[in-house]
Structure formats: C-alpha cells, structure tokens
Amino acid sequence: MRKIIITSFLTIFLSFFAFAQKEFTVSGKIFEEGTNIPLEWATVVVTNPSDGKIVNGGTANEKGVFKFNVNAGTYNFSFDFISFKKVTINNKTISEDFNFGTIYLKEDTTTLEEVELIAEKTTVEIKLDKKVYNIGKDLTTAGGTVSDALNNVPSVTVDVEGAISLRGNENVRILINGKPSAMAGFGDSNILSQLPAEAIERVEVITSPSARYDAEGTAGILNIILRQKETLGFNGSVTLTAGNPDNVGVSAALNFRREKYNLFSNFGWRYFDAPRTSFLDVNYFDTTNDDGTINEPQFRRIVENQEVERLNRNYNANIGMEYFLDDTSSITGSLFYNFGSDADVSLNESERLNNNVIVEETLRREKETEKDNSYQIALNYVKTFGDDRDHKLTVDFQYENDNEDGFTYLNEDYVFTSQTNPEAFQIEQEFTDEKQKEYLVQADYVLPLGEDSRFEAGYRGNFENSVTDYQLDQENLLTGALEINESISNIFDYTENVNAIYTQYGSKLGKFSFLLGLRLENTQLKGKIDSRLTEQELNENFGFPIDTDFDNNYLGLFPTVNLIYNLNTTESGDEESITLGYNRRINRPRGWFINPFPSRSSRTNIFQGNPNLNPAFSSTFDLGYLKRWEKLTLTTSVYYQHETDSFERVQENTGQQTTDGIDIIRTIPINLSTNKRTGAELGLMYNPEKWLRLNSSVNFYQFETEGEFNGVDYGAKNTSWFARFSSKISLPLEIDWQTSAFYRGAVQDAQSDTDGIFSLDLAFSKEILNKNATLSFNVRDLLNSRKRKSTTTTDFFERYSEFQWRQRQINVSLTYRFNQKKKPQRNGGFDGGDDEFEG
C-alpha cells in the first residue's frame, strides 16, 4: 500500500511538472483605435506578476499580427507602441494556446506632444562639468555628417578645413560615448566627416572636465553620444542621400532588443566629390646676408591658382551586442570598421612676375591616391552592487588598428618662360605607409555615500604607436631615372603612453552641489628617426638641432573643481543656477607635429614637424549662469585660460631654393612661452509658439601670446568672435523650414590676418508615409561664401591666400523609420559624466 501511494504521488508530481514546463502559443492583433490601421512593430511584453521580471515578448508584423510561445503559468501582458497609450492585462493564466483577438491602442496626445517636442527641439542641460545639447531634428544636416551637426552646437566651430574648435581653440579632445574611438579618427577628425549626422543623440560640451576624463585637450572635451534604441523587438531607420556636387550615400541604424540581450548596428556607405580651390599671391622681399650684401629674389611675385577634384568612397560599420549576465551585470562587445578610398587630382597654375610682367608660367599636376583601413574592438563590463544602481564597477578594453597607404605623383611643366635654357622640373613620386595601433584599458568604481554624495576612483592606460614609412623618388635630370632622395626618405616610429589614476568626491547640500577631483598622469613620448643621414646632417638640413632617438617622460597633477548653486527651481519648469569650474589640462604634441621631415604637397610651401616640442599645460576658470523659463532658455559664461608652452605655427624662410630659384617657405610648430585667453559666451533658445523655434549664440574672446623663435618675436594680441543663429518654422501640410547662419569674426596672430567668414544654410522637410518617413532638402553654404581669406607678412615675403575646402552643397535625403512611428524619447544611455549632481 505504501508503494502504491508513493508511486501515485510521483506520477502526479511529474505530470504537474511536465504541464508546468509545457509551452503554449500566444497570438493576436494590434490595431490603432479609430482607424483600424495595423501597428507594425508594436510590442508585447510578458512579465512575472510577483517580481515584474520580463519573461518573454514579441512584435507585430506588417499586418499587426503577433505570435510567440510562453510556458504555462500566470503572467501580466502589456501591449505598447511609441506615442500610444499602453494596454495592460494582468494575472492572465496560460494553460493552453490562447488568442487575445484584436487589441486596440489609442494615440496618447499628452505623450505625443512630449515626444515630438523632444525630437524637434534642441535642448540644453547644465550639469556640474558640462553642457548637454540634446540634438533635435536639424534639417540643415539631413544627409550630412557628424562634422556638419557639430557646427550647429553652441561654443563649437568647424572651419573650412574640417578642424574642430571649442571657444575658438582647436586643442579639443573628441570622445565617442565617453571614450576615445576609431570613429573619431586617430588624433584627427577625418572620420567625423564620414559618419552620418543622424547617428548623434546628443553632444556634451565639457569646458570644465572632471577628474574622470583624460587631461588631454586644453580647450576641453566634446563627447558625442550616439543613438541607441531601447525598444523591445526589431527597430531602426534607413537614410538615402543624393546631392550636388556628387554626394550619394546610404546609412542604416538597426537594433534588436530582447530580455537578455540587445543587438545594435550602424552601417554607412558614401561616395562624394568635394572640389577644393585655393589662390595664393606672394610678394618676395630683398634679404640681407651677414656680410651686408643684398639678395634679390629671382621672381618678385608668384601667383598660384589651384583646383582640386577630390573623389572619396567610404564604408563604415559598427556592430555590437549587449548581454545581460544577470540583474546586476552586463557585458557589451562591439566592432567598428572603416574603409576609405580617395583619389585626388590637382591642377596648379603658377605665374611668376617681375616688375608686374609675367616672365614665366607653369602648370603643376598632382595625382594622389589613399586607402585607409581601420577597425576597433571594444569590450565593456558593468557590475552594480545591491539595490543601488549607482554603486557600480565599470571596466573597458579597446584595441584600434589603422593602416593607411598613400601614393602621390607630381609633375610640373612650363606653359611659358622667358628663359633661354630653363631648368627642367623634376618628376616626383611619394610613397607613404602609416601603421597605427592603440590600446585602452580603463576601470571606474563609483560608491554612493548616502543619498546625495558619491566617491569615485579609477585607472586608465592609453598606449599608442605609429610607424610612418616615407619615401620620396625624384627624377635624375641627366638620366631621366627616378632615384630615392636619401636626405628626405625616412621611417619615423612614434610612441605615446599615458598612465593615469584619479579620484573624486561629489555631494549635494540643499541647493548647492560640488565635485572635487584629482588626477595623476604620467606621459611618455618616445620617437626614433631612421634616416640615411647622420644626426649632424639632419641638423644642418632642418636648421635646428634635433634628437633622432628621444624618450621624454612627464608627470603631472591635474586638479578639478566644479560647483553649482540652484538659485530657483519651480514646478512649472523654471530654473536658475550658477556654475563655477576650474581645471588644469595638458596638450600633448601629436605625431605629425613631431616628425621633422617636411611634407611635399608644394615645392615652395612645406609643413615641417618639430621633435623638440614639449607638452603645453593650461589652467582654466569658467563661471556660468543658466536661466530657464517656459519658452526661453538663457545660458551665459565667462572664462579665462592661461597656457604655458603653447603651440604656435610660425612661417619662415628655410634659406633653400627650388631648382628654378624660388625660396622655400616652411611652417613649423613651436612652443611659445604663454597664451592667455579671456572670453564670454551667450546662448538663447526661444520657442514663442509651437510652430516657431529660435536658437542663437555668440562667443567673444581675446587671446594674447608671448614668445620668440630663432630670434624673431612672435608675440601678438587679438580679439575675435563668432555667432550663429537658426530658426525653424512649421508650415502647413506638415512642412518644416529651417534657416541657419554663422559668422566668425576676423582673427590676427603674430604673422597673419584672417578675414571674417559668413555662411548660410537653408532646409525644408516633409513627413510622409504616415509619418514613418521624412523627405528633406537642404542647401549648405547657400551663398558659397565659406572661404578663408588671410594675409601673412614676414621679413621675407607677404602672402595673400584664399581657400575654400568645400563649395556650396545641395542635398536631398529620405529617412524611413520602422517601429519608430514618432521619434523616441531620450534614453539614459552612457554619458560618462556626473548626472547625480546636475543643476
């Protein structure tokens, strides 16, 4: 009898266990209430009633139908779609296949207004160490690049050559999602001109970086946060672009999110022609030798007109997965790949004059091809402790690799000459092979202390190496053969290693918040020049002593202080606060600033690095004020920066001449003794009506440099400013019209005067396909006025130049979104900042 009871109990238990583990099919349809339109990509989320954990879920297809399996049990079901009211069915027991029938979702007008407002409008948040600009729907950059989008961020300028400045200072550090990245290029911003602008969610302008950040960048840091969707299921967007001059591209952002993992990706392909033009008019002066004799130049004046056709093909892809190990930890892995292939053809017409009469005319042809392969592997681990999500450990590892191969062919011929037996020009060929590697290891630990305080500490190691193999072949005019120029061909091996530890403490006391930090960094700058010339011969050629095998170490302390006081905060959203920041930073010379072998893009004007460059150090004070009303936001600040050993590019006569007797002028970076910069900026965001949004900013600054090089005083004092204004008007038929204007005032330094630059952008867009797609048309630099005009004066020459990096651009783009009927709300994302102490 006992055996029968036990056997019966086991049979019942096993039968119940088998039943509990059995899967059943859940299905149904999701439609929009009132229109009966299927809501493609609407989500169904299944959660456990006891703890709220997600058990399963699915998405609706193009017919609004969903279907997936769940184990037998009792669950809560929620049916959701962006900008619609959620429908929830609680404690539903599933013991067999079940069909919910048709679930109708109603549009949420309250949420819709909030979502559209966030999507349309660029907003600003003031935090202890930064301003956060949540990028709105900027029509002027539709079909454009990250560089184009940055040019619309207050305090930031992107010049005609693509160089990024913060408050007029080019020494700005670019981060992607809080870290250095191959997406931002190896020490430059080239790749930013290839990534689509639609990839940006927000830009953090960090003028007073906390101790968490690398101390590199005396101007501050720009942290670009890329979009990442948190909607369950499959969602994304695709953008097609076409323009003139030739600009054809396609980009896609795809995301698939489930309970345990999130797959994300960005892909882009672009083909474009970016014609570039330049004009030079140089007048040469007599020079005096040490013995008092006068040297007269062979040509008193040289006028050059250059036109460059630049054909570029670029492919980039970023794929990754975030996997949730459990409720307290996750690991993320990603791979970024970029391939670029450029082919440039340059024609340079040169007229040589004496007594304002053309005595010689030449045509220089230059063909340049370049291929760039780069990739980045990144791993991120996050562990939170206990119930406090702010108590966490973050560990990062990155590896980047870049290979760049370049070939240049140069030839110059006489169009006309008054010489009886003119000296022939040499044909030149350049071969450049550059390999770069970079490793990043970083760990950050955050410990909350009570509700309003936090302690943080971490380590970061950044290890970079680049090897540049450069060979110059020149024609032997006697034999016609191409021979290696032994005095210029070289291999330059450059290493930069930075190890850093930091700690910081922040707290909030009523309306007052502070964040104090200290960072210790050791920098090793090591280089070796492999040349066929001796060090003495190199010194004679370069005109100054250089070390062909150097190993320099610098140890520095970098304190940071950030304070914020909330004067007033109301329930209506009005806000008023004052911020004060201090930080010390470093500017490390990059490899191309160190390499002493001259560039060969021109026979008469060359750029030459300086291996004697030391890092520059700066101290910056920043006082800011924010006042926010319902329809108006005002931000303003004043700042002062004192930099020692600051870099300055100077131009001088090398004392050498080309084969046809023209003086060779070089540009070289040097350490000047001091650089003082004082400035003020003001920003206004005004939205008087739903259909009208206005945004403007102005930055006024003065800088003063002191120092000399080779006996020449390069001290200068100058005042300049830049301003931008944009307006967006919502027209009938769901058409938007946006206008953006930018002006940068004239700039002077020790040798050059640069005129002001004005540019105007215009754009229109229309929502189509039930607001699942946007059709945009824009014109950048409508007046074709974005040209740099400058005059440089030295004891040897006076040069006027005009330079246009990119002419007027017209683009048409189409963006299609799926599972994103309306723009999604902002998600928290990674910002690498100090959100707990925001104003």
Side-chain angles (χ1 to χ4, degrees):
M1 184 68 180
R2 184 179 177 184
K3 291 183 178 180
I4 294 174
I5 294 174
I6 294 174
T7 302
S8 300
F9 178 79
L10 289 174
T11 301
I12 294 171
F13 177 79
L14 292 174
S15 299
F16 176 80
F17 181 79
F19 171 79
Q21 294 301 308
K22 186 174 181 180
E23 285 191 343
F24 295 104
T25 300
V26 175
S27 59
K29 298 179 180 179
I30 305 177
F31 283 8
E32 180 178 359
E33 184 177 320
T35 64
N36 289 330
I37 295 176
L39 293 179
E40 183 182 3
W41 305 112
T43 60
V44 185
V45 179
V46 185
T47 58
N48 191 318
S50 62
D51 57 15
K53 290 184 178 180
I54 297 177
V55 176
N56 204 344
T59 56
N61 63 17
E62 69 278 2
K63 297 181 180 180
V65 176
F66 65 88
K67 185 177 181 181
F68 56 88
N69 295 331
V70 296
N71 292 330
T74 300
Y75 305 103
N76 293 342
F77 291 82
S78 62
F79 306 86
D80 194 14
F81 191 57
I82 297 172
S83 77
F84 283 75
K85 291 183 177 180
K86 182 189 297 185
V87 172
T88 302
I89 299 176
N90 294 326
N91 298 314
K92 176 64 181 177
T93 300
I94 303 298
S95 58
E96 59 182 356
D97 293 344
F98 183 79
N99 191 311
F100 280 94
T102 302
I103 303 294
Y104 291 98
L105 300 185
K106 184 178 180 181
E107 199 168 49
D108 189 342
T109 55
T110 303
T111 304
L112 175 61
E113 182 178 352
E114 177 186 359
V115 170
E116 288 185 320
L117 178 64
I118 292 174
E120 294 288 335
K121 186 177 66 172
T122 296
T123 61
V124 60
E125 301 173 52
I126 303 296
K127 300 187 178 181
L128 266 171
D129 59 346
K130 61 196 169 190
K131 294 184 180 74
V132 181
Y133 294 93
N134 299 292
I135 300 300
K137 189 177 177 185
D138 194 333
L139 307 182
T140 61
T141 61
T145 67
V146 169
S147 290
D148 298 320
L150 289 178
N151 210 30
N152 286 342
V153 175
S155 304
V156 180
T157 57
V158 183
D159 71 11
V160 294
E161 295 179 336
I164 298 172
S165 299
L166 180 59
R167 291 174 167 175
N169 189 341
E170 290 186 9
N171 184 227
V172 56
R173 181 71 158 166
I174 307 294
L175 302 179
I176 303 292
N177 292 339
K179 306 181 190 71
S181 173
M183 294 187 192
F186 285 82
D188 57 41
S189 57
N190 290 336
I191 297 182
L192 296 181
S193 63
Q194 300 163 359
L195 293 175
E198 290 80 4
I200 296 181
E201 177 180 324
R202 64 184 185 273
V203 176
E204 298 177 345
V205 178
I206 310 173
T207 53
S208 184
S210 68
R212 170 187 286 197
Y213 294 102
D214 179 15
E216 171 71 26
T218 55
I221 295 172
L222 289 180
N223 187 20
I224 300 169
I225 307 298
L226 301 182
R227 295 187 187 276
Q228 207 177 104
K229 304 295 184 295
E230 292 190 343
T231 307
L232 281 175
F234 183 56
N235 57 82
S237 63
V238 178
T239 299
L240 304 175
T241 302
N244 179 268
D246 292 347
N247 181 28
V248 181
V250 57
S251 63
L254 307 175
N255 198 87
F256 183 72
R257 187 180 183 90
R258 306 299 289 175
E259 176 195 1
K260 294 289 292 182
Y261 61 87
N262 180 34
L263 298 173
F264 54 89
S265 62
N266 289 275
F267 303 94
W269 171 82
R270 189 182 182 210
Y271 168 85
F272 63 98
D273 177 16
R276 174 171 65 84
T277 61
S278 65
F279 171 80
L280 294 176
D281 189 347
V282 187
N283 287 280
Y284 293 92
F285 307 142
D286 292 340
T287 58
T288 304
N289 296 323
D290 293 338
D291 59 4
T293 58
I294 302 297
N295 286 328
E296 294 186 3
Q298 181 172 351
F299 303 105
R300 286 289 179 182
R301 182 184 176 197
I302 297 179
V303 179
E304 296 185 26
N305 272 293
Q306 184 184 43
E307 294 184 357
V308 183
E309 181 183 76
R310 299 182 296 165
L311 299 178
N312 298 268
R313 290 164 295 278
N314 177 261
Y315 312 82
N316 61 76
N318 183 39
I319 57 175
M321 181 177 75
E322 180 181 12
Y323 184 77
F324 304 97
L325 301 172
D326 52 42
D327 290 342
T328 64
S329 61
S330 68
I331 186 169
T332 303
S334 64
L335 170 66
F336 172 77
Y337 173 75
N338 181 81
F339 173 76
S341 178
D342 302 342
D344 299 352
V345 177
S346 168
L347 296 178
N348 191 338
E349 297 179 350
S350 178
E351 297 177 344
R352 290 87 186 264
L353 300 89
N354 283 324
N355 300 320
N356 290 324
V357 176
I358 299 176
V359 296
E360 194 167 276
E361 184 177 349
T362 65
L363 178 63
R364 176 184 173 89
R365 301 175 181 87
E366 181 177 341
K367 296 181 180 179
E368 181 180 3
T369 59
E370 182 178 280
K371 292 185 178 180
D372 189 359
N373 262 295
S374 64
Y375 66 87
Q376 172 187 281
I377 299 171
L379 293 174
N380 168 262
Y381 172 75
V382 178
K383 170 67 177 179
T384 58
F385 302 91
D387 296 330
D388 192 344
R389 310 298 291 182
D390 292 330
H391 184 194
K392 63 182 178 180
L393 171 69
T394 305
V395 180
D396 291 282
F397 170 78
Q398 283 184 185
Y399 170 71
E400 301 177 12
N401 185 289
D402 180 75
N403 290 326
E404 184 176 313
D405 295 317
F407 170 75
T408 304
Y409 174 86
L410 305 101
N411 186 26
E412 191 165 0
D413 293 312
Y414 288 102
V415 175
F416 161 76
T417 179
S418 60
Q419 299 183 57
T420 306
N421 295 305
E423 185 76 23
F425 297 106
Q426 290 177 300
I427 294 175
E428 293 185 356
Q429 289 185 163
E430 294 178 284
F431 301 87
T432 304
D433 180 19
E434 186 171 7
K435 293 180 172 61
Q436 302 184 71
K437 295 180 180 180
E438 182 173 350
Y439 296 87
L440 170 70
V441 180
Q442 182 171 335
D444 300 284
Y445 175 71
V446 180
L447 175 65
L449 302 173
E451 293 184 0
D452 297 319
S453 300
R454 187 176 72 176
F455 169 80
E456 185 173 348
Y459 161 81
R460 172 172 162 166
N462 207 80
F463 312 100
E464 303 177 49
N465 175 257
S466 65
V467 179
T468 304
D469 188 344
Y470 175 82
Q471 178 179 313
L472 174 65
D473 293 351
Q474 292 178 308
E475 180 185 13
N476 185 319
L477 297 178
L478 297 178
T479 65
L482 290 172
E483 300 175 351
I484 296 177
N485 185 318
E486 303 285 356
S487 64
I488 293 181
S489 300
N490 70 97
I491 299 176
F492 183 55
D493 190 330
Y494 182 67
T495 298
E496 177 182 301
N497 297 325
V498 180
N499 286 278
I501 56 174
Y502 79 92
T503 183
Q504 60 185 21
Y505 174 76
S507 186
K508 188 173 184 179
L509 306 172
K511 295 183 177 182
F512 176 73
S513 301
F514 66 87
L515 183 63
L516 309 177
L518 184 64
R519 188 178 186 91
L520 175 66
E521 286 193 354
N522 176 258
T523 301
Q524 180 189 39
L525 303 179
K526 184 169 61 173
K528 184 176 182 180
I529 301 171
D530 185 1
S531 172
R532 294 173 176 84
L533 299 182
T534 66
E535 187 167 311
Q536 181 178 351
E537 290 173 325
L538 288 173
N539 293 339
E540 292 174 354
N541 281 0
F542 297 140
F544 55 87
I546 64 171
D547 189 350
T548 58
D549 189 357
F550 59 89
D551 187 350
N552 301 322
N553 281 268
Y554 306 90
L555 185 67
L557 276 175
F558 301 93
T560 61
V561 178
N562 288 290
L563 313 173
I564 186 169
Y565 184 75
N566 291 318
L567 298 171
N568 184 34
T569 301
T570 66
E571 294 182 359
S572 63
D574 291 356
E575 181 182 346
E576 187 176 15
S577 61
I578 296 176
T579 59
L580 176 64
Y582 164 78
N583 65 87
R584 185 172 187 260
R585 316 239 349 126
I586 185 174
N587 181 12
R588 305 180 184 95
R590 309 302 299 181
W592 68 289
F593 258 41
I594 295 288
N595 192 340
F597 289 89
S599 67
R600 300 292 295 180
S601 58
S602 170
R603 294 189 309 116
T604 57
N605 293 277
I606 62 176
F607 178 87
Q608 185 174 353
N610 180 3
N612 300 324
L613 272 183
N614 294 318
F617 294 88
S618 73
S619 294
T620 304
F621 296 87
D622 188 294
L623 178 64
Y625 172 76
L626 166 73
K627 176 65 176 177
R628 194 196 314 270
W629 296 271
E630 180 181 359
K631 296 182 178 181
L632 175 66
T633 299
L634 165 69
T635 60
T636 183
S637 64
V638 292
Y639 54 91
Y640 171 77
Q641 181 184 80
H642 183 272
E643 185 175 359
T644 58
D645 285 334
S646 59
F647 303 161
E648 183 78 15
R649 301 183 195 187
V650 300
Q651 300 179 51
E652 61 178 12
N653 196 316
T654 61
Q656 302 173 356
Q657 292 185 329
T658 62
T659 55
D660 52 337
I662 301 176
D663 290 340
I664 298 176
I665 299 167
R666 73 175 173 193
T667 300
I668 184 171
I670 63 172
N671 288 112
L672 285 181
S673 58
T674 61
N675 186 338
K676 301 175 185 177
R677 184 181 296 264
T678 306
E681 58 185 352
L682 173 70
L684 290 172
M685 295 181 180
Y686 182 46
N687 304 286
E689 303 291 342
K690 277 189 175 182
W691 54 269
L692 177 61
R693 288 173 288 278
L694 305 174
N695 189 339
S696 64
S697 64
V698 61
N699 191 303
F700 177 88
Y701 59 93
Q702 181 185 82
F703 61 88
E704 180 180 357
T705 59
E706 297 177 359
E708 64 176 38
F709 179 69
N710 284 348
V712 179
D713 184 2
Y714 290 99
K717 187 175 183 179
N718 176 241
T719 299
S720 188
W721 62 285
F722 61 88
R724 57 168 49 86
F725 171 82
S726 68
S727 65
K728 188 174 182 182
I729 301 174
S730 297
L731 303 173
L733 303 177
E734 295 183 338
I735 296 175
D736 287 333
W737 167 25
Q738 182 172 331
T739 304
S740 296
F742 174 79
Y743 180 79
R744 190 183 72 186
V747 180
Q748 292 84 38
D749 59 28
Q751 293 181 310
S752 300
D753 293 341
T754 303
D755 295 346
I757 298 177
F758 175 78
S759 63
L760 181 67
D761 299 339
L762 188 66
F764 295 90
S765 79
K766 178 174 173 55
E767 299 294 317
I768 59 176
L769 301 179
N770 196 29
K771 295 188 178 181
N772 285 314
T774 303
L775 182 65
S776 302
F777 168 83
N778 62 51
V779 183
R780 292 203 289 273
D781 195 12
L782 177 67
L783 306 178
N784 205 35
S785 57
R786 204 157 179 248
K787 302 177 182 179
R788 185 184 65 196
K789 301 177 181 180
S790 63
T791 301
T792 301
T793 304
T794 73
D795 292 337
F796 308 99
F797 65 90
E798 181 180 78
R799 179 175 64 199
Y800 172 78
S801 66
E802 291 185 8
F803 186 89
Q804 185 175 26
W805 185 256
R806 185 177 65 184
Q807 66 185 56
R808 176 173 47 230
Q809 180 77 45
I810 301 174
N811 287 322
V812 177
S813 67
L814 173 66
T815 299
Y816 178 76
R817 301 173 293 274
F818 49 94
N819 200 15
Q820 302 175 43
K821 183 176 181 180
K822 300 288 189 290
K823 286 284 187 179
Q825 295 189 40
R826 293 180 282 112
N827 61 71
F830 174 84
D831 61 17
D834 306 286
D835 295 345
E836 289 81 356
F837 308 104
E838 61 186 82

